[in-house]
Amino acid sequence: MAGSPDAEEAVSQEGRDPPAAGGAARRTKRAGPAGSGALQPAKLSRAELYKPPTSEELSQLKETEDLFHSSLLRLQIEELLKEVMLKETKKKKIDAFLHEINSLLSAVPETSETELTDQAWLPKDVKVPFLQVPFSVKGRFHFVPPTELKVVGSYLLGTCVRPEINVDVAVTMPREIFQDKDNLNQRYHRKRALFLAHIAQHFSKEKLFGSVKFAYMNSNHLKPILLLRPQGKDEKMVTVRLHACPAPGLFKPSRFYPSKNNVRTAWFMEQSTPKEGAPEPPTPHYNNSILCDTVLLSHLHFLSSAATDFPGMKDGLALLKVWLNQRQLNKGLGCFSGFLVSMLVAYLLMKRKIVKMMSGYQVLRSTLQFLATTDLSVTGISLAKDLDASLPVLDDFHQAFEVVFVDPSGLVNLCADMTASKYHQVQFEAKRSMEILDDRMVDGFQVLLMTAKPMLRTFDHVFHLKHVSKLQGACKKMQLLNELMDRGGNYVAAALPFIVSLLTRGLAGRTLLVTHSLPQTPEWPIDAEPPKHKDVGHLTFGLLFVPEFSASMLEKGPQADHPEALDFRTFWGEKSELRRFQDGSICEAVVWKADTIYQKRLIPEQIVKHLLKLHADIPESSICYMGALLESVIRTGKETSGTGEEAMVNVVCSYDDLSRKLWNLKELPLTVTAVQGVHPALRYTDVFPPIPMKPIYSFHARNRTKHLLLPSEERPCPAYIAPLKIICHMEGSGQWPQDKEAIKRIKAAFHLQLAELLQQQHQLVCRPTASHTDVYKDGYVFRLQVAYHREPLILKEVVTPEGMLKYQETEESRQLELETLHLPYLTSSLHGLQQQHPVFGSTCRLAKRWVSAQLLSDSISEECVDLLVAFLFLHPAPFMPPSSPQVGFLRFLDLLATFDWKNNPLIVNLNSGLTDTDCAEIKNKFSAARSRLPTMFIATPKDQWSSMWTQERPSAQILQRLVVLASESLRALEEQLMDPLNSQDVKMVFRPPLDFYDVLIHLNPNQIPRHLEGVDRPLKSFSRGVVKNSSAVKILFPVVDYDPVQCYLQELRDAFSDLALFFYDKHGGEVIAVLWKPLSFQPQPFKVSSMKGRMVTTLNNELVCVPNVEAILEDFEILGEGLVKSVEARTEKWTI
C-alpha cells in the first residue's frame, strides 16, 4: 500500500491525521476507530441489539422486498456502483490537472488575420483536424485566446463511469473571430477546427501533457475535439476533451431550424454560378451540429438542477451506462451516449415518471420501461417547456430526422445522428431486459449488467460490408446528394439509414431486428492528416431471426392487378414473377432457390446480396457474409449442399415405422408397452447422422452358417455402421421371475422371439444375441434391447448377514436405470426441444464435433454436451434463443469458458419442470455438499441431486483444459469472423494443438473406418465395401459397430491406464495422443506383484522400480500391429 500514489498523497495531505474516507481505505482497517471507514465489530448493549428498526431501515427493507428478487441483487448493485464510480483522490488529481490547463489556455498567443483558406501560419507539425472538401471558402480567421473554460458533462454531475474517465471542457471562442454569414458552407466548423489546431500546437510543447491528440466527437466529421492526457503514470487516468463553442448570442437560432438551408449546392458542387430557380434543400444535420455547440452550458445547468437532491439519479445513470456499454450501444456515430441517457432520465423526472425519492435500481427500471414502450422514431419527445409559437414543432423534426428527442431549448435534436434501426435495437434490448428483470428464474444482475453482448454472439447472422468506399456509389445510385451536403460529404453517414431501411423491408417477416455497427473513427496525432470517411473500417450488420419464417423460400406479393404490384416489382427487380396460388389468386412472388435445410438457412444471404446489388450498386464481392462458415465441419459425404439434417429426419422416420411395427407385433407372450430411442441420432444430435448402407459381399469375409459378413484381412476396414439403440419396455406380469439371473434369461428369450416375429411378419433381417437383437431396416441397423420395469429394483436387493432384505444402489442397477429410464427420458425431452428450436440439433453437433476434435470426446459424455447446449436454448438470457448453429456454437464456447463451475450448479430446466423454489433449493444443497459433488454439476428436473451425466467425467483437470480451450477457440473465432479482409479459416479451432502430449501414436488411415469424417477432408479415401442403398431385403448381415481404433484404445486403457491417459478424435482422427501420469513416474519400492510395465534400477543403493518406457512404447506397436503406422515419443519426461 505504501508504494501506491494514493497512499503518498493521503499522507502528504493529511499529515499525521487519520486518512479521509477513500484516501487509504486499506490502511484504515488497521488505523482503529479514528478513520471513517474502520471495520471494527461494534460492541452493542443488549438494548441496542434488540431495538426496533428505524424508519429508514424499514423503508430499505420494504424496497428490497418489493423491487429486488432478493437482497443479493441489492448488494450486487451496490458493489458494482462502488467499482465504477470515481474515487475522491482521483477527483483531486483531475481538478488540479484542469486548473493547469486553464492557466495554459490564457497564455496561447494571438495570430494575425488571414483568409480562411490561407493556412500557412500553422506550423508543419500540426494539421487542421477537418476534411476541407471543397477547399475554397470565403471568410477570414485570426486566433484570440479564449475568455473562459467551463467544465460540462458528466464529471461535474458525478456520473462519470470507469474504466474510461472523460472530462468535457467547453472553451468559448471570442466574438472577434467571427464575421457575418459564418453559419454558411462549413465556415464556422473550419474556424472551430483552426482554433483547436492552434491550441494543440502550443499544448504539444508543454511538459504537462502525456499526449495531445485529435478525435471526432462521437465520430462526427464536422466536430473535431482535442484530447489531453496527463504526463507519466497518470496518463490512463483521465482524458480531458476540449470542445470549442461560439460566444453566446453569436447566431440567430431561427437560421438553424430543421427546414433551413446553410450549405449552398453551388459551393458544395464547386459550380461557379448557382442554377436558376432551383430551391436549396434543408440541411438539418448540419444545422444541428452548430446548435449543439451553443447549448452545452444550458444542458449542464438543466441536468444539475435535475440531479440536486436526487442521489438515485447518479446511481441509476451509472447502471444505465454499464447497461449500454455491455450492448455496444454507447460509442460511435449515432450512438445512445451517456449524455443522451442522462437527458432521458431528466425528461422522465420532468414528466413525473421518475420521482426524486427513487433509488438507482428504480431509475434503471423506469428508464428501461419507458424505452421499451416508446418508439421515438414515430412519436418524438421534447424537453422544451413553454411552447414558443415560432419554434419548430415535433413534426418538423420528424421530417428531418429518423429519431426525435428535442432538448430544453426546443432547437436541438439530441438523437440527430441515430438511425431508426439503432433506436429499435435499444428498444428491443430494453424490452428483453424488462422481461429478464421480472423473471425470477434468472440472475438479472449477472445477465443484464455483467454479460457483454458482442454482435457475433447476439445476432443469428452477421455480415460485413468490407469496403465502405462502395457507399459512395450507393449515394449516387440512391440520389442522396442532399444528404451528402447535409453530412459534410460523409457518405457512410448519408447512405447508412437508407441501406438499413432497404434491408429491413427486404427481410420483413423473417427478422425481429436488422441492425448495424456504429461507424467509429479512431483518435489521431496532431501532426497527421485527419481520417477520411473510409477510415471507419468495415461496417457490420446483424440479423436476428424469427425462427419460423427466416428460411421460407417464398416471398408472396400483392395480386397482379393491384396498384402495389408495381412497387413490389420495382423493389425485387427481375426476381419477381407472376405465380398462381392454390386459392386461385395470381400474385407477384419471389421464389428463392434452396434444396437443403442448410441452404434454406442462407436465404437471407441471397436476399441481402440481391437487394444491395440492385438498389445500392454494392457488388457481392464487397459483402462478407458470416452466417454459416462453421457448418462445413459437419457436412456429410462429398456433396457440399447439406449438413445432414435431411439424413437425420430419414433415420427418425424409419425408427417411427419400426416402433409402430413393434407395438403391433402379433403372437408375443407380453405386449410391448413403450418403444424409446436412446441413440443421439434419434434426438437429432448425432454429429454425423447414419447413412443407409448395403454391404458389398466380395469385400468381406463370410460366416456361412450364421449368414454374417466379417471384416476381411486384405481389405481396408469396412465402413462404420452405428447400431441405433432402442429400448423396448415389456408389460409387467406376475409371470416375470424375481431373480436377476432368471430375468436375464427371459430377456434373452424375448430377443430371440422378437427377431423371429419381425422376420416372419415384416421380412426384416435380424440377428439376435443374449443382450440385444440387431434389426437391419431401410439400410440402418437398429439395436433392440428389452427392458422390464422392476429389474433395477431387483438388482438393488441385498440380503444382510442377519437375513434381512434391504435395497441399496449397486453399479449394475445404476447403469441399468441410466440406460432404460433416464436416457430415454432425456432423448425424448431433447427431441421435443428440437421441434421448438430447429437449429438445436445442428448446434449440438457442432459442439460435439469441437469437443471430439480437441481429442476429449472420451473425457466428457455426449449427453453432457447435449445438456449444455440445451441450456443455451432454454435459458438464453440476455440473448434470444439461437436461430443459427453458428451463434449457438459461439455461445456454447462462451458458456464453457465463463460459467463458474466451482461455485454454481448449471440448472437445465427441461420441459419447465422446476419452479424457482426448486432452483433455490438445488443451489443451497449444492453449496452445502460441494466437495462431494462432481466438478461439473448439471441439474435437470428428473435428476436434481446426482448430476448423473457428469458423475465420472469430466475430471477437474479435463474440465480446466476444456475451459482454456473454449476461451482460446472463442477468441480466435471471433477475431476471424469480425475481420472480413483476412481469409476465414474457421477450421483452425477444430485442429487440436498436439505439442503438449508426450507420445503420439500415428494410425494407418485404411484401418480408420470413419476416416472421411476428419476436419480436413483426406485427399485419398478408401473404398469401404458398402453402397448407399436402403431397399435390400434379403441380405447377409453387415459388420456392425466395428471400429478397430476403439478396440485398440480399449486395450491400451486396460493395460496402461495407471501409467498414461489416451486421447483420440473418434471422427476420423489419425493420431492417438498419450499423456504420462506424473505420479506413476515416481520411483516405487520393488515388489514382485507390481512389476507390470516397470523395470528395476537402484536409487541411493535401494532397489526401486520405474516405468520401462521403451518397452511400453514397443508394446503400443505390438498391440496395434497393422493399425499403428508409427509411435513418436515427443518428450524426454520419462528419464529419471
Side-chain angles (χ1 to χ4, degrees):
M1 176 68 207
S4 80
D6 286 6
E8 285 160 29
E9 180 167 310
V11 173
S12 64
Q13 282 177 353
E14 309 289 342
R16 289 280 152 254
D17 296 341
R26 278 167 285 188
R27 194 154 30 69
T28 318
K29 291 179 187 174
R30 294 196 292 280
S36 57
L39 298 175
Q40 299 281 321
K43 296 238 180 339
L44 295 175
S45 68
R46 194 177 173 81
E48 280 178 311
L49 267 174
Y50 291 103
K51 71 175 180 198
T54 61
S55 61
E56 194 179 316
E57 287 171 332
L58 273 173
S59 75
Q60 250 193 349
L61 287 166
K62 177 97 182 81
E63 186 196 347
T64 301
E65 189 181 359
D66 293 348
L67 282 181
F68 302 91
H69 295 325
S70 62
S71 47
L72 180 65
L73 179 59
R74 173 178 212 126
L75 295 171
Q76 284 172 317
I77 284 184
E78 284 169 8
E79 205 50 44
L80 173 71
L81 289 171
K82 273 187 220 155
E83 280 290 309
V84 298
M85 291 296 198
L86 254 182
K87 305 256 187 313
E88 280 303 316
T89 45
K90 286 262 168 51
K91 282 190 184 162
K92 284 181 185 152
K93 284 189 182 177
I94 292 174
D95 289 343
F97 185 50
L98 290 171
H99 280 301
E100 295 192 47
I101 293 177
N102 198 10
S103 54
L104 281 175
L105 261 176
S106 47
V108 177
E110 289 194 25
T111 63
S112 53
E113 190 168 59
T114 58
E115 284 294 318
L116 251 182
T117 46
D118 168 20
Q119 293 161 2
W121 56 273
L122 261 182
K124 289 276 174 282
D125 58 356
V126 59
K127 301 273 193 295
V128 184
F130 194 84
L131 293 172
Q132 305 182 59
V133 183
F135 184 71
S136 62
V137 66
K138 293 177 186 165
R140 302 178 69 74
F141 176 79
H142 67 291
F143 182 87
V144 181
T147 42
E148 55 177 348
L149 169 147
K150 288 260 173 74
V151 178
V152 293
S154 58
Y155 179 67
L156 281 187
L157 299 172
T159 56
C160 254
V161 172
R162 298 193 307 178
E164 290 178 27
I165 301 291
N166 292 320
V167 179
D168 293 295
V169 175
V171 180
T172 309
M173 298 187 279
R175 277 206 114 108
E176 308 80 284
I177 298 180
F178 297 101
Q179 289 103 16
D180 284 350
K181 296 199 173 173
D182 270 353
N183 54 313
L184 293 180
N185 299 355
Q186 301 182 1
R187 284 185 217 174
Y188 163 74
H189 293 97
R190 296 190 185 192
K191 287 188 175 179
R192 191 177 167 282
L194 286 167
F195 186 83
L196 286 173
H198 187 61
I199 295 178
Q201 188 250 326
H202 277 272
F203 278 10
S204 63
K205 300 183 185 125
E206 296 292 340
K207 293 270 190 303
L208 174 67
F209 303 110
S211 74
V212 178
K213 289 186 169 177
F214 288 126
Y216 290 131
M217 183 62 193
N218 284 337
S219 297
N220 182 344
H221 285 258
L222 295 173
K223 297 296 265 304
I225 50 176
L226 188 59
L227 305 182
L228 306 169
R229 294 190 177 91
Q231 180 68 37
K233 57 186 170 192
D234 289 339
E235 183 171 353
K236 297 255 183 339
M237 175 179 76
V238 63
T239 304
V240 173
R241 305 197 286 191
L242 223 58
H243 302 256
C245 56
L250 175 68
F251 294 122
K252 250 207 214 128
S254 57
R255 284 184 178 169
F256 298 110
Y257 286 179
S259 54
K260 295 285 171 59
N261 167 283
N262 281 301
V263 182
R264 304 289 188 251
T265 316
W267 170 79
F268 188 74
M269 300 301 289
E270 301 189 73
Q271 297 158 344
S272 48
T273 51
K275 280 187 187 162
E276 285 302 311
E280 290 286 356
T283 52
H285 290 90
Y286 175 92
N287 303 348
N288 204 70
S289 73
I290 297 181
L291 283 171
C292 279
D293 287 351
T294 63
V295 290
L296 282 173
L297 284 170
S298 63
H299 285 169
L300 178 72
H301 297 313
F302 175 72
L303 282 175
S304 63
S305 71
T308 43
D309 309 327
F310 188 3
M313 176 164 172
K314 199 165 135 185
D315 295 352
L317 283 175
L319 293 174
L320 281 160
K321 285 179 180 181
V322 172
W323 182 83
L324 286 165
N325 190 33
Q326 294 289 31
R327 283 155 185 70
Q328 298 182 340
L329 294 168
N330 62 345
K331 282 194 189 73
L333 182 67
C335 63
F336 206 102
S337 62
F339 166 67
L340 194 55
V341 87
S342 312
M343 292 302 257
L344 184 62
V345 171
Y347 170 81
L348 295 175
L349 187 67
M350 189 176 99
K351 290 285 183 220
R352 309 263 162 77
K353 297 258 172 67
I354 286 179
V355 290
K356 291 201 170 186
M357 294 290 294
M358 286 187 173
S359 68
Y361 176 71
Q362 286 168 301
V363 171
L364 172 76
R365 275 194 74 115
S366 309
T367 312
L368 290 179
Q369 179 61 37
F370 176 79
L371 282 171
T373 51
T374 319
D375 188 350
L376 296 185
S377 63
V378 181
T379 48
I381 54 175
S382 171
L383 283 160
K385 284 205 177 81
D386 41 343
L387 283 172
D388 180 349
S390 66
L391 283 176
V393 291
L394 279 176
D395 276 351
D396 299 341
F397 282 105
H398 273 298
Q399 275 171 359
F401 302 105
E402 290 205 316
V403 186
V404 176
F405 177 13
V406 181
D407 83 321
S409 68
L411 295 166
V412 179
N413 177 15
L414 301 170
C415 295
D417 289 333
M418 193 180 291
T419 61
S421 130
K422 201 33 94 178
Y423 181 77
H424 289 144
Q425 188 188 348
V426 174
Q427 196 181 3
F428 182 83
E429 287 290 357
K431 273 186 196 146
R432 188 81 187 99
S433 299
M434 286 310 290
E435 287 165 18
I436 289 167
L437 283 176
D438 294 336
D439 182 354
R440 288 180 170 278
M441 301 288 274
V442 180
D443 174 0
F445 172 79
Q446 189 62 36
V447 160
L448 287 192
L449 300 171
M450 303 306 281
T451 310
K453 293 190 70 175
M455 285 187 89
L456 271 179
R457 291 206 294 278
T458 307
F459 297 101
D460 296 312
H461 281 187
V462 166
F463 66 92
H464 306 289
L465 178 58
K466 278 196 273 198
H467 316 110
V468 189
S469 48
K470 291 281 185 277
L471 289 174
Q472 273 174 294
C475 287
K476 273 205 191 77
K477 175 93 174 177
M478 294 171 152
Q479 297 165 340
L480 301 179
L481 172 66
N482 298 350
E483 279 75 11
L484 269 176
M485 272 171 43
D486 186 13
R487 304 271 194 168
N490 184 349
Y491 49 82
V492 181
L496 192 57
F498 294 91
I499 296 279
V500 178
S501 59
L502 174 77
L503 294 174
T504 310
R505 180 179 167 188
L507 294 162
R510 295 172 190 270
T511 52
L512 290 165
L513 206 57
V514 176
T515 188
H516 56 88
S517 63
L518 295 162
Q520 281 188 48
T521 28
E523 50 189 65
W524 69 96
I526 60 171
D527 56 356
E529 291 290 342
K532 308 273 192 298
H533 301 303
K534 66 172 189 296
D535 293 339
V536 294
H538 57 268
L539 274 179
T540 306
F541 295 82
L543 312 177
L544 196 59
F545 292 137
V546 181
E548 299 79 35
F549 304 113
S550 62
S552 94
M553 292 168 66
L554 180 76
E555 204 75 49
K556 189 176 174 184
Q559 290 201 352
D561 48 1
H562 283 205
E564 299 92 63
L566 180 63
D567 183 37
F568 185 86
R569 276 200 297 276
T570 323
F571 185 73
W572 289 106
E574 79 281 0
K575 289 265 186 215
S576 176
E577 53 191 36
L578 282 178
R579 289 208 162 217
R580 165 170 270 159
F581 289 88
Q582 284 177 333
D583 59 358
S585 61
I586 296 176
C587 297
E588 289 287 342
V590 178
V591 179
W592 302 100
K593 192 175 161 0
D595 303 328
T596 59
I597 294 178
Y598 164 72
Q599 288 169 330
K600 283 183 188 166
R601 277 203 295 269
L602 284 175
I603 286 178
E605 175 179 9
Q606 295 185 40
I607 296 178
V608 165
K609 288 185 170 171
H610 171 70
L611 288 177
L612 290 181
K613 180 86 192 80
L614 181 67
H615 294 287
D617 264 349
I618 296 174
E620 289 195 5
S621 56
S622 291
I623 297 164
C624 188
Y625 200 89
M626 303 287 189
L629 287 181
L630 282 172
E631 292 168 48
S632 58
V633 293
I634 52 170
R635 291 251 174 91
T636 46
K638 290 202 173 56
E639 63 278 3
T640 50
S641 52
T643 45
E645 283 91 351
E646 293 75 17
M648 210 77 88
V649 173
N650 293 340
V651 175
V652 175
C653 289
S654 178
Y655 154 75
D656 287 341
D657 182 48
L658 180 62
S659 55
R660 272 193 296 278
K661 289 182 167 146
L662 285 167
W663 276 326
N664 301 328
L665 272 185
K666 300 179 181 66
E667 301 169 32
L668 260 183
L670 295 175
T671 54
V672 175
T673 54
V675 179
Q676 294 174 312
V678 294
H679 190 273
L682 304 176
R683 55 177 184 259
Y684 299 97
T685 68
D686 197 14
V687 180
F688 291 100
I691 291 166
M693 308 243 201
K694 176 187 166 195
I696 301 169
Y697 294 171
S698 61
F699 192 90
H700 297 72
R702 296 190 201 187
N703 178 334
R704 295 271 176 204
T705 53
K706 292 190 174 171
H707 298 289
L708 293 180
L709 295 175
L710 300 172
S712 151
E713 283 187 26
E714 291 80 53
R715 300 294 180 91
C717 169
Y720 182 73
I721 298 182
L724 306 172
K725 196 164 176 190
I726 298 175
I727 305 290
C728 285
H729 287 273
M730 297 310 220
E731 66 178 324
S733 144
Q735 305 287 313
W736 278 98
Q738 299 305 306
D739 172 67
K740 53 184 180 189
E741 286 307 317
I743 291 177
K744 281 186 186 151
R745 303 285 159 82
I746 297 279
K747 277 164 57 179
F750 267 119
H751 289 137
L752 286 164
Q753 182 132 31
L754 280 173
E756 200 176 310
L757 293 175
L758 282 171
Q759 208 142 7
Q760 281 174 13
Q761 295 173 24
H762 299 289
Q763 290 75 49
L764 293 173
V765 184
C766 301
R767 183 172 148 247
T769 67
S771 56
H772 57 258
T773 286
D774 284 346
V775 180
Y776 179 86
K777 174 179 189 302
D778 304 333
Y780 306 111
V781 174
F782 293 96
R783 179 160 285 180
L784 307 181
Q785 187 177 328
V786 169
Y788 166 47
H789 67 96
R790 289 203 59 235
E791 188 180 6
L793 194 67
I794 292 164
L795 285 176
K796 286 181 191 175
E797 287 177 1
V798 181
V799 180
T800 61
E802 293 84 49
M804 296 280 289
L805 186 66
K806 68 173 201 178
Y807 292 97
Q808 69 183 42
E809 284 245 322
T810 62
E811 188 50 43
E812 201 181 357
S813 72
R814 214 175 60 86
Q815 197 50 42
L816 191 73
E817 264 185 342
L818 205 63
E819 278 183 12
T820 58
L821 289 173
H822 299 300
L823 198 50
Y825 168 74
L826 179 72
T827 303
S828 63
S829 301
L830 296 180
H831 183 283
L833 194 59
Q834 167 71 23
Q835 307 305 323
Q836 288 169 339
H837 302 285
V839 300
F840 167 71
S842 307
T843 308
C844 279
R845 293 167 57 206
L846 272 176
K848 287 193 220 176
R849 184 69 196 92
W850 177 81
V851 169
S852 180
Q854 305 302 335
L855 313 183
L856 295 173
S857 51
D858 291 334
S859 313
I860 179 169
S861 65
E862 285 210 21
E863 293 75 23
C864 170
V865 180
D866 286 349
L867 280 170
L868 290 176
V869 175
F871 176 82
L872 301 171
F873 285 84
L874 293 166
H875 312 280
F879 305 101
M880 298 298 286
S883 286
S884 79
Q886 181 163 301
V887 78
F889 175 65
L890 291 171
R891 286 188 210 165
F892 164 78
L893 292 179
D894 183 55
L895 172 70
L896 258 186
T898 58
F899 191 81
D900 181 0
W901 298 106
K902 189 170 174 214
N903 302 314
N904 289 310
L906 186 82
I907 301 174
V908 184
N909 197 356
L910 293 168
N911 309 332
S912 310
L914 295 168
T915 60
D916 52 340
T917 42
D918 292 338
C919 292
E921 193 186 349
I922 291 173
K923 283 178 185 160
N924 294 338
K925 284 201 180 175
F926 171 84
S927 306
R930 181 64 190 111
S931 55
R932 299 194 299 283
L933 297 171
T935 46
M936 184 188 248
F937 187 90
I938 301 181
T940 59
K942 286 270 199 280
D943 166 33
Q944 296 182 22
W945 313 120
S946 68
S947 184
M948 62 180 70
W949 307 111
T950 60
Q951 287 249 292
E952 272 90 41
R953 51 196 185 154
S955 63
Q957 295 85 344
I958 294 286
L959 179 59
Q960 183 52 40
R961 174 94 182 128
L962 265 173
V963 167
V964 171
L965 285 168
S967 70
E968 273 305 296
S969 299
L970 183 66
R971 188 191 55 71
L973 264 180
E974 296 201 325
E975 213 170 273
Q976 282 195 318
L977 294 174
M978 283 313 280
D979 181 10
L981 298 170
N982 280 354
S983 62
Q984 276 72 38
D985 179 17
V986 288
K987 285 186 174 179
M988 188 178 79
V989 300
F990 290 86
R991 297 186 190 110
L994 295 173
D995 37 10
F996 96 127
Y997 294 103
D998 298 325
V999 179
L1000 297 182
I1001 304 176
H1002 296 277
L1003 305 172
N1004 188 352
N1006 71 359
Q1007 291 302 333
I1008 306 174
R1010 295 185 251 191
H1011 191 221
L1012 278 176
E1013 293 176 5
V1015 171
D1016 296 297
R1017 270 275 137 78
L1019 299 172
K1020 179 177 162 209
S1021 59
F1022 301 90
S1023 158
R1024 297 277 172 204
V1026 288
V1027 285
K1028 285 182 190 170
N1029 180 351
S1030 54
S1031 57
V1033 182
K1034 289 196 167 173
I1035 63 157
L1036 295 178
F1037 214 85
V1039 179
V1040 177
D1041 198 14
Y1042 173 60
D1043 186 342
V1045 189
Q1046 293 299 330
C1047 308
Y1048 176 53
L1049 269 174
Q1050 196 50 54
E1051 285 183 16
L1052 288 176
R1053 285 184 180 135
D1054 292 345
F1056 304 109
S1057 58
D1058 54 336
L1059 293 172
L1061 295 168
F1062 298 91
F1063 300 92
Y1064 177 63
D1065 174 5
K1066 65 179 179 192
H1067 297 292
E1070 295 187 11
V1071 169
I1072 295 176
V1074 186
L1075 205 54
W1076 298 122
K1077 291 186 174 177
L1079 289 176
S1080 58
F1081 275 77
Q1082 289 169 354
Q1084 289 170 0
F1086 171 67
K1087 277 195 201 137
V1088 177
S1089 58
S1090 61
M1091 279 306 291
K1092 190 176 106 186
R1094 295 177 183 276
M1095 63 182 182
V1096 180
T1097 79
T1098 53
L1099 184 71
N1100 305 338
N1101 299 330
E1102 281 182 33
L1103 276 184
V1104 290
C1105 50
V1106 292
N1108 182 355
V1109 174
E1110 271 117 23
I1112 293 172
L1113 296 184
E1114 205 177 316
D1115 286 353
F1116 287 174
E1117 280 202 58
I1118 294 165
L1119 274 175
E1121 193 185 346
L1123 173 62
V1124 173
K1125 197 157 53 170
S1126 64
V1127 175
E1128 173 191 354
R1130 303 284 296 265
T1131 51
E1132 300 298 318
K1133 248 192 222 172
W1134 30 276
T1135 50
I1136 300 295

